[in-house]
């Protein structure tokens, strides 16, 4: 143990004192000094029920609980009558990047019930685990080593040759240990006649209502599992083993401190994970010198509501159970002395949920499911059906053997949607208090739910109400939600893009999760209120960003978040970057952002007068950069065409502000250029046609220039593709265009025809069926055939020869196209 700890970087070389030999089968689970050790599995309904009866029998003067010692001041708030679990203690480091430690509690948590017992009987209650300011740097170090190991594994896999991957000895040991640890629990379940460990634990421990037997079985079982894995862990993951040893020696120290204060050892009960019980029966307490040698980081703490989903193992929480609501039902049944009714109650609730989702579930099938679950219980020699038995019975009796039809109902009922609640003023950071106040003021409290809900906002003034606050309620909600998005607090998610739909309307999806609370608490490092934290975050991003488009987006976000003090800084930086940029796409996109901002600024009661000069500058800069940007390949050309569309919209929306003449001049220059990408030349020409800048004579000239035998088939087809990207109704009305295209294709030789056809197919691929029918009718008119027959022929299935020709085109080599 000492060698393992001393080998870890960041320690001062001090290791916990050596442990005595582990007694094989002690009659009582106590420390050598006589303090009681009650081993539990976190989130065990049976553990929560047994601990209260154990405490009633022992009548201790002090109840000590495995949780960071520095969070002990939160016990008073945790045990308030108005607290509604699940809740969690959150510890976080002050330095960035923030490292968080979360300790959740459900109503059926043994630790929580022990705290309530101590409060009710006015006894001492303490937390005895290693303080968070020591735990945080230790776990950060452990996480760093695991990331390094993962990187080594990935590198080894990348170099894998002939299935002979070369791994370092340390990584191989660690992977072997994880595999061994997983297989250890799997084999334990199989030896107990179960398919998985959770079912094994439930049948053999959760259904045990004899407190003494539960205590002995849980501690003895965990001691044997620990003994089986201990040798592997020391070699494969020495840091994890060392952290456990440090925690256990510190817990022993806290027990001895309580004894030193005058509390008799036999009047002390320590409630801790069963895994640690055997260690505390033989280890020595941490000394002052050992404690002084631990790494340390400044941390803060708070309480936060939690959810059953986050408690469940489905969320990835390692210490969670797979069915929080089910185990709450189990705890309630135990408290009412009606555990035997749990199967009936569960199946009844499942039938209700299943009926709401599938539309039908009979009473007879529910009764049969309970009977079948009881039969499975007897086959396994249990005292009660496990959740797995109930699932198997429900699939057979209620879902006709189809798991897929009832799986959603299992998930909904087993996990549940419960979310905890804390009363106002309970051990919260200032930003949490501000968040709760805003939710109340903006009437958003009903959305504080783990079930996602949609909300549509109308940002316009509501003239049907009397107060100004009510008139602009939706606007204030929008500002608040945008600030949360800026902070990365995932309570709200915008549906659609920032520029989708009407400027006065916003659609959001709201969902409350524990991650929201965690991220909110972490944001206190940037400010004590949501507004202050958002303003700091925005200023920080502005200072760091040197990208024109990113700064333009930040300026828009400034308006959405109504951070007036930051708008001037954003506009100054945007102006400086716009004068230096040589990137057409960035300038065009930034101009689009500013144009959008000027349109909805008034809706948001935001003065956008300072935005107009920046918009004019960006628009002109983009127009001037267009010609140079058009020297590119076809893939890039298609992206630039999208940006040209955006800049064209700006010219139409801001015709009184921007230099439209300069934009048209650059489009004309690009349309006539022979040394630019032909797709962009065609696209520029299509915009000019839309603006009424093209005569029939101009069209004839450009058609003769691009769709001629003097041009390459690829270039001609690319020009046509660009031309057809916009305003196709205008194209369909230009008979000259289709006459020339028909003549051009007729005059091609076989090789050129194939090359052109490949390119034209790509151009026509984006046409809608009705547009293709319109073209067919135009060509039919040119060819002197019946338009109806031609359109009908277009819809006919291909003949075998046509299919063969099409297959030939797929393999056609178009060289340097």
């Amino acid at each position: 143990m000492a060698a393992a700890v001393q080998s870890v970087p960041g320690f001062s070389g001090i290791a916990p004192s050596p442990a005595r030999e582990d007694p094989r089968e002690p009659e009582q689970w106590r420390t050598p000094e006589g303090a009681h050790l009650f081993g539990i599995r976190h989130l065990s309904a049976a553990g929560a029920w047994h601990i209260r009866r154990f405490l009633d029998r022992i009548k201790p003067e002090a109840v000590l609980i495995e949780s960071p010692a520095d969070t002990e001041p939160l016990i008073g708030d945790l045990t308030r009558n108005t607290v509604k679990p699940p809740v969690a203690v959150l510890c976080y480091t002050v330095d960035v990047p923030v490292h968080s430690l979360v300790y959740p509690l459900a109503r059926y948590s043994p630790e929580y019930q022990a705290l309530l017992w101590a409060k009710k009987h006015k006894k001492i209650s303490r937390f005895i685990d290693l303080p968070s300011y020591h735990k945080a740097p230790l776990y950060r170090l452990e996480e760093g080593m695991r990331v390094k190991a993962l990187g080594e594994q990935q590198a080894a896999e990348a170099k894998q040759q002939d299935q002979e991957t070369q791994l370092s000895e340390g990584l191989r040991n660690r992977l072997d240990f994880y595999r061994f640890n997983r297989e250890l629990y799997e084999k334990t379940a199989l030896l107990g006649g179960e398919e998985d460990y959770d079912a094994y634990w439930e049948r053999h421990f959760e259904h045990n209502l004899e407190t003494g037997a539960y205590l002995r079985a849980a501690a003895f079982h965990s001691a044997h599992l620990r003994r089986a894995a201990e040798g592997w862990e020391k070699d494969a993951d020495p840091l994890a083993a060392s952290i456990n040893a440090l925690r256990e020696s510190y817990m022993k120290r806290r027990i001895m401190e309580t004894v030193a204060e005058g509390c008799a050892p036999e009047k002390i009960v320590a409630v801790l994970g069963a895994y640690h019980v055997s260690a505390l029966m033989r280890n020595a307490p941490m000394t002052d010198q050992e404690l002084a040698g631990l790494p340390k980081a400044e941390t803060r703490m708070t309480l936060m509501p939690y959810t059953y989903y986050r408690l469940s193992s489905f969320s990835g929480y390692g210490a969670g159970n797979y069915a929080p609501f089910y185990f709450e039902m189990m705890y309630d049944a135990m408290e009412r002395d009606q555990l035997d009714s749990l199967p009936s109650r569960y199946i009844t609730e499942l039938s209700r949920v299943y009926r709401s989702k599938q539309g039908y579930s009979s009473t007879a099938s529910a009764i049969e499911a309970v009977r079948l679950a009881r039969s499975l219980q007897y086959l396994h020699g249990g005292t009660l059906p496990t959740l797995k038995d109930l699932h198997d019975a429900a699939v057979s009796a209620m879902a006709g053997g189809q798991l897929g039809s009832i799986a959603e109902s299992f998930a909904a009922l087993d996990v549940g949607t419960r979310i905890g609640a804390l009363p106002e003023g309970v051990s919260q950071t200032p930003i949490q208090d501000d968040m709760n106040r805003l939710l109340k003021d903006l009437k958003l409290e009903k959305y504080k739910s783990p079930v996602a809900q949609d909300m549509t906002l109308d940002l316009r003034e509501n003239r049907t109400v009397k107060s100004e606050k009510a008139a602009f309620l939706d606007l204030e909600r929008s500002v608040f939600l945008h600030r949360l998005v800026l902070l990365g607090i995932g309570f709200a998610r915008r549906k659609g893009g920032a520029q989708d739909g009407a400027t006065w309307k916003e659609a959001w999806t709201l969902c409350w999760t524990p991650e929201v609370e965690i991220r909110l608490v972490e944001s206190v490092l940037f400010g004590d209120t949501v507004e202050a934290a958002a303003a700091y975050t925005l200023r920080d991003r502005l200072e760091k960003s040197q990208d024109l488009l990113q700064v333009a987006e930040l300026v828009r976000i400034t308006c959405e978040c109504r951070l007036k003090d930051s708008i001037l800084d954003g506009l100054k930086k945007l102006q400086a970057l716009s004068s230096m940029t040589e990137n057409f796409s960035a300038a065009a996109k930034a101009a689009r952002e500013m144009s959008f901002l000027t349109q909805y600024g008034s809706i948001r009661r935001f003065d956008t007068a300072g935005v107009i000069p920046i918009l004019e500058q960006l628009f002109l800069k983009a127009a001037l950069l267009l010609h140079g940007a058009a020297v590119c390949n076809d893939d890039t050309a298609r992206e630039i065409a999208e940006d040209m569309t955006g800049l064209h919209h700006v010219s139409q929306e801001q015709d009184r502000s921007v230099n439209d003449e300069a934009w048209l001049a650059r489009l004309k220059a690009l349309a006539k250029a022979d040394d630019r990408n032909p797709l962009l030349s065609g696209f520029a020409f299509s915009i000019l046609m839309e603006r009424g800048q093209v005569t029939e004579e101009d069209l004839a000239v450009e058609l003769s220039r691009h769709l001629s035998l003097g041009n390459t088939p690829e270039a001609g087809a690319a020009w046509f593709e660009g031309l057809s990207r916009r305003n196709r109704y205008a194209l369909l009305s230009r008979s000259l265009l289709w006459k020339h295209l028909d003549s051009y294709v007729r005059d091609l030789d076989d090789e050129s025809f194939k090359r052109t056809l490949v390119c034209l197919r790509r151009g026509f691929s984006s046409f809608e069926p009705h547009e293709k029918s319109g073209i067919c009718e135009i060509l039919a008119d040119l060819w002197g055939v019946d338009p109806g027959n031609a359109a009908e022929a277009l819809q006919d299935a291909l003949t075998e020869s046509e299919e063969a020709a099409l297959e030939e085109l797929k393999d056609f080599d178009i060289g340097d196209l």
Side-chain angles (χ1 to χ4, degrees):
M1 175 68 70
V5 177
Q6 290 168 351
S7 67
V8 176
F11 287 94
S12 62
I14 300 171
S17 303
R20 292 191 292 273
E21 288 299 317
D22 181 18
R24 298 295 295 176
E25 295 187 30
E27 293 180 2
Q28 293 181 314
W29 297 95
R30 296 191 183 191
T31 66
E33 297 77 20
H36 297 274
L37 302 174
F38 194 101
I40 51 120
R41 190 187 194 195
H42 300 294
L43 299 170
S44 165
W49 187 80
H50 286 302
I51 187 61
R52 296 199 69 127
R53 279 134 195 88
F54 183 79
L55 295 173
D56 285 338
R57 180 166 62 84
I58 300 298
K59 295 182 173 55
E61 293 298 320
V63 179
L64 312 182
I65 294 169
E66 178 195 336
S67 191
D70 56 327
T71 63
E72 192 172 302
L74 301 179
I75 290 178
D77 287 334
L78 270 173
T79 54
R80 285 194 189 188
N81 295 332
T82 48
V83 170
K84 297 179 181 178
V87 295
V89 176
L90 173 66
C91 305
Y92 58 97
T93 56
V94 173
D95 59 320
V96 179
V98 175
H99 189 86
S100 303
L101 303 173
V102 182
Y103 300 92
L105 295 168
R107 192 164 65 87
Y108 60 87
S109 293
E111 303 95 324
Y112 184 67
Q113 290 301 323
L115 287 173
L116 294 180
W117 186 95
K119 178 184 180 181
K120 178 181 178 181
H121 294 84
K122 299 180 181 179
K123 303 299 182 183
I124 298 170
S125 57
R126 289 180 178 171
F127 290 156
I128 61 171
D129 201 355
L130 204 61
S132 65
Y133 49 77
H134 289 313
K135 266 189 169 183
L138 288 171
Y139 285 147
R140 182 181 290 174
L141 179 61
E142 182 183 32
E143 182 180 340
M145 292 182 69
R146 286 180 176 170
V147 169
K148 181 180 179 181
L150 179 60
E152 185 181 346
Q153 180 187 10
Q154 292 173 340
E157 289 173 349
K159 296 178 181 178
Q160 183 176 5
Q161 294 180 355
D162 300 326
Q163 304 299 320
E164 294 182 0
T165 304
Q166 299 298 318
L167 303 178
S168 72
E169 183 179 355
L171 175 58
R172 187 176 296 280
N173 286 341
R174 186 174 288 108
L175 294 176
D176 286 343
F177 169 68
Y178 294 152
R179 190 179 302 111
F180 168 81
N181 204 41
R182 183 180 65 253
E183 291 176 354
L184 178 62
Y185 283 88
E186 291 174 354
K187 289 179 180 178
T188 300
L190 289 174
L191 289 171
E194 304 293 344
E195 293 182 10
D196 61 77
Y197 186 76
D198 285 320
Y200 167 80
W201 178 272
E202 182 184 353
R203 196 180 307 279
H204 294 279
F205 295 90
E206 295 297 316
H207 298 167
N208 186 345
L209 293 180
E210 206 286 298
T211 299
Y214 174 88
L215 172 60
R216 291 190 299 273
F220 191 71
H221 173 73
S222 297
H224 275 276
L225 287 177
R226 176 173 181 144
R227 194 176 300 121
E230 212 162 44
W232 280 86
E233 186 178 35
K234 289 179 182 178
D235 293 334
D237 203 348
L239 181 56
S242 301
I243 292 174
N244 273 331
L246 291 167
R247 291 176 58 203
E248 288 158 356
S249 64
Y250 184 83
M251 286 191 274
K252 188 63 166 288
R253 174 190 176 95
R254 292 281 288 172
I255 292 173
M256 298 310 297
E257 286 175 349
T258 307
V259 173
E261 292 172 4
C263 187
E266 62 273 14
K267 288 297 182 180
I268 297 174
V269 172
V271 182
L272 64 161
Y275 180 86
H276 303 294
V277 169
S278 60
L280 264 69
M281 294 177 63
R282 68 184 192 271
N283 70 344
M286 181 178 286
T287 65
D288 292 343
Q289 186 183 14
E290 291 168 350
L291 182 59
L294 293 177
K296 195 171 185 179
E298 184 179 355
T299 58
R300 295 176 184 170
M301 69 200 76
T302 185
L303 293 178
M304 55 180 276
Y306 220 60
T307 67
Y308 270 179
Y309 174 75
R310 195 67 181 88
L311 270 180
S312 73
S313 53
F314 291 107
S315 70
Y317 175 46
N321 55 31
Y322 54 100
F325 185 70
Y326 169 75
F327 284 103
E328 181 188 282
M329 292 171 65
M330 180 184 293
Y331 180 73
D332 288 341
M334 289 177 173
E335 285 292 289
R336 297 193 306 268
D337 197 23
Q338 296 176 354
L339 184 58
D340 197 56
S341 68
L342 178 62
S344 300
R345 183 185 171 201
Y346 176 84
I347 292 295
T348 301
E349 286 295 310
L350 179 64
S351 180
R352 179 186 59 79
V353 174
Y354 186 53
R355 190 180 298 113
S356 68
K357 295 183 179 297
Q358 298 295 327
Y360 178 75
S361 177
S362 69
T363 303
S365 64
I367 294 172
E368 178 62 18
V370 175
R371 188 196 64 78
L372 183 55
R374 290 288 188 183
S375 299
L376 291 172
Q377 161 204 329
Y378 299 139
L379 286 173
H380 286 89
T383 58
L384 204 68
T386 64
L387 183 60
K388 187 178 185 308
D389 295 337
L390 294 168
H391 280 187
D392 291 343
V395 169
S396 298
M398 298 170 62
Q402 301 296 318
L403 174 61
S405 68
I406 200 171
E408 186 181 358
S409 302
F410 285 152
L413 180 59
D414 296 351
V415 177
T417 58
R418 193 179 305 284
I419 185 170
L422 293 167
E424 290 186 16
V426 169
S427 301
Q428 297 202 352
T429 58
I431 198 170
Q432 286 175 288
D433 290 334
D434 184 56
M435 178 79 164
N436 291 331
R437 179 186 61 80
L438 289 169
L439 290 173
K440 184 176 182 180
D441 289 349
L442 298 174
K443 300 181 179 1
L444 294 174
E445 289 178 302
K446 70 175 183 178
Y447 294 98
K448 198 173 180 180
S449 164
V451 178
Q453 302 176 70
D454 291 336
M455 180 176 66
T456 301
L457 301 179
D458 185 338
L459 308 186
R460 298 171 296 184
E461 180 181 3
N462 183 356
R463 299 181 182 275
T464 63
V465 295
K466 295 181 179 180
S467 68
E468 182 178 3
K469 181 178 179 180
F472 293 101
L473 177 62
D474 274 5
L475 177 59
E476 295 303 318
R477 285 174 167 177
S478 173
V479 170
F480 169 64
L481 297 180
H482 278 291
R483 288 173 179 174
L484 295 184
V485 171
L486 174 61
L487 290 171
I489 298 171
F491 174 51
R493 178 174 54 83
R494 181 85 179 270
K495 296 173 66 176
Q499 301 176 10
D500 292 346
T503 57
W504 51 266
K505 182 180 179 181
E506 288 182 351
W508 295 83
T509 298
L510 279 62
C511 181
W512 190 272
T513 65
E515 287 77 8
V516 170
E517 197 88 33
I518 294 172
R519 183 60 183 161
L520 178 65
V521 171
E522 292 175 350
S523 298
V524 78
L525 300 176
F526 310 130
D528 288 340
T529 65
V530 172
E531 181 178 3
Y536 176 89
T537 301
L538 188 71
R539 284 195 303 270
D540 183 61
R541 291 188 187 178
L542 278 173
E543 290 174 4
K544 293 177 179 177
S545 179
Q546 296 300 321
D547 180 83
L548 177 66
L549 178 57
Q550 190 177 66
V551 172
E553 291 172 346
L554 288 173
V555 170
R556 172 178 53 78
I557 291 171
T558 302
C559 175
E560 292 170 338
C561 297
R562 199 188 294 153
L563 301 173
K564 298 181 180 179
D565 293 340
S566 301
I567 186 67
L568 185 59
D569 293 337
L571 291 175
K572 286 180 178 178
K573 186 152 191 176
L574 188 61
Q575 186 174 30
L577 291 175
S578 67
S579 63
M580 296 185 293
T581 188
E582 297 297 327
N583 187 320
F584 164 76
S585 292
K589 287 184 173 75
R592 185 75 177 124
E593 287 282 0
M594 294 303 99
S595 176
F596 183 71
L597 183 59
T598 60
Q599 292 179 73
Y600 82 157
S602 59
I603 290 289
R604 292 187 168 275
R605 307 174 75 190
F606 196 95
D607 185 8
T608 58
V611 177
I612 299 298
I614 308 298
L615 170 60
E616 294 172 350
Q617 180 179 338
L618 285 167
F619 181 85
L620 182 60
K621 188 63 178 284
L624 295 175
L625 290 172
L626 174 61
H627 202 72
V631 180
C632 59
N633 60 33
D634 285 350
D635 289 337
T636 304
R638 292 182 180 89
E639 296 176 4
I640 291 177
E642 294 298 325
D643 296 326
M644 290 172 64
T645 298
L647 204 62
H648 176 61
H649 286 317
V650 174
S651 72
Q652 300 297 286
E653 296 162 356
Q654 309 290 338
D655 58 307
R656 296 184 180 181
S657 302
V658 300
N659 191 337
D660 190 46
E661 292 182 2
W663 171 238
L664 290 175
R666 304 313 294 172
L667 287 175
K668 290 176 181 178
L670 178 57
K672 293 180 179 180
D674 292 327
D675 57 348
R676 308 289 112 164
N677 187 287
L679 187 149
L680 293 178
S681 295
F683 189 66
F685 193 74
S686 72
I687 295 177
L688 291 171
M689 287 179 61
E690 188 177 312
R691 293 287 302 271
Q693 301 289 315
V694 175
T695 64
E696 286 291 313
E697 183 180 349
D698 293 331
L699 177 60
V701 170
E702 291 303 311
L703 287 171
S704 299
R705 202 158 61 86
H706 291 283
L707 298 181
S708 68
L709 297 180
N711 199 6
T712 65
E714 294 82 12
W719 182 85
F720 181 80
E721 180 185 345
L723 180 70
S724 63
R725 289 176 72 91
R726 291 186 62 83
N727 200 358
R728 288 170 183 164
Y729 285 108
L731 293 180
L732 292 174
S733 67
R734 303 269 185 157
S735 58
L736 176 65
L737 169 65
W738 302 104
K739 286 179 182 178
H740 197 96
L741 181 62
D742 177 47
S743 175
Y744 168 69
V745 173
R746 283 175 182 270
D747 293 340
L748 293 172
D749 57 37
D750 288 347
E751 183 71 11
S752 297
F753 174 77
K754 290 179 180 179
R755 297 172 71 86
T756 301
L757 187 57
V758 169
C759 300
L760 285 176
R761 284 185 68 208
R762 184 174 59 201
F764 280 115
S765 64
S766 60
F767 278 64
E768 296 294 331
H770 69 277
E771 294 170 339
K772 293 178 182 178
S773 296
I775 295 171
C776 187
E777 291 177 6
I778 292 172
L779 294 176
D781 215 26
L782 291 176
W783 299 335
V785 299
D786 181 59
N789 292 337
E792 185 177 337
L794 181 67
Q795 306 299 328
D796 286 346
L798 296 177
T799 64
E800 290 185 7
S801 60
E802 289 171 338
E803 288 279 8
L806 191 61
E807 286 299 320
E808 184 181 347
L809 281 179
K810 290 180 181 179
D811 300 328
F812 187 71
D813 183 9
I814 57 175
D816 58 354
L817 174 61

